[in-house]
Amino acid sequence: MLIQTLYFALGAYLLGAVPFGKIIARLAAQIDITKRGSKNIGATNVARELGIKWGLLTLVLDVLKGLVPILVFSVCSFKGDIGGQMALAAVSLCPLLGHQYSIFMGFRGGKGVATALGIYLALSPVSCLLGLLVFLLVVLKWDFISLGSMVSAGSIPIFLTLFHQPKPVVLASIVMAVLIYFRHGENVVRLVKGEERKWKQR
């Protein structure tokens, strides 16, 4: 079980580490997205710099690299005992770590919100949809993608707890929220200073 879990964890990390936003920007517009706009490889920056369709493609691919490995692990290896729950929690962290600290980008990367969305969708679809609703409500109210992402990430552990997900999974979601907050440090500073770019701002 341990060796199999390690293989899945490595595969999940490597898939998460694929910088789809950077690849799409290079192929579609011959630009380095890490040097444009917010310099982030995520869907928001790709959409702003290349257009909505390329941003949506980036979003879908980033979600899938969180969703697919967790679904495969759940089907092939997950057992409901505490050991299986801990293994699921550990593997669930790996796509996010891959996205944020990609081996293909010198252990740099994006903020991981879309990849986390895919992970949560595999772990608890209802909790994920509620977290997405929180994101949409915050963005509609204040028009900040970063703020919506952070509030949503913080809400997910609460929803997972309410829907009686295993404690190791809830703990993993707290770690993921902390990682997402950490990657949004510059956004927090800009929000406090009133300098954060709104989604509708061109």
Side-chain angles (χ1 to χ4, degrees):
M1 176 68 178
L2 176 60
I3 298 300
Q4 191 175 38
T5 299
L6 289 174
Y7 281 136
F8 269 105
L10 178 60
Y13 170 82
L14 291 175
L15 180 59
V18 177
F20 285 118
K22 186 171 183 178
I23 294 170
I24 289 169
R26 179 66 66 186
L27 294 177
Q30 294 76 52
I31 65 172
D32 184 351
I33 197 66
T34 64
K35 297 179 180 178
R36 300 286 292 270
S38 67
K39 301 179 174 59
N40 188 42
I41 62 171
T44 300
N45 195 38
V46 173
R48 283 172 172 162
E49 298 299 319
L50 275 74
I52 293 295
K53 68 175 181 179
W54 298 114
L56 287 175
L57 178 59
T58 302
L59 175 65
V60 169
L61 291 173
D62 282 349
V63 168
L64 286 175
K65 69 184 186 182
L67 174 67
V68 171
I70 311 309
L71 283 181
V72 173
F73 180 80
S74 298
V75 171
C76 296
S77 296
F78 177 66
K79 297 179 180 179
D81 59 10
I82 186 62
Q85 294 171 9
M86 292 176 67
L88 177 61
V91 172
S92 296
L93 287 170
C94 293
L96 180 63
L97 290 171
H99 183 85
Q100 293 182 331
Y101 303 99
S102 171
I103 192 173
F104 306 122
M105 294 182 60
F107 297 100
R108 294 175 291 109
K111 294 172 182 176
V113 176
T115 301
L117 177 65
I119 296 167
Y120 295 138
L121 189 58
L123 292 173
S124 175
V126 175
S127 299
C128 179
L129 291 175
L130 288 173
L132 184 58
L133 178 62
V134 169
F135 168 82
L136 292 173
L137 290 174
V138 172
V139 173
L140 286 172
K141 175 65 175 179
W142 288 286
D143 203 29
F144 292 115
I145 297 292
S146 57
L147 182 61
S149 298
M150 289 185 286
V151 174
S152 177
S155 72
I156 291 291
I158 299 172
F159 294 136
L160 290 173
T161 301
L162 290 175
F163 288 101
H164 307 291
Q165 293 300 306
K167 289 182 180 179
V169 171
V170 175
L171 180 60
S173 72
I174 294 172
V175 174
M176 284 190 274
V178 171
L179 288 169
I180 289 171
Y181 291 157
F182 178 75
R183 297 294 291 181
H184 279 82
E186 293 181 356
N187 301 88
V188 172
V189 172
R190 289 195 295 268
L191 283 166
V192 171
K193 292 182 176 179
E195 298 173 355
E196 178 72 335
R197 182 178 180 182
K198 293 189 174 184
W199 167 243
K200 296 176 183 177
Q201 182 180 341
R202 306 306 297 178

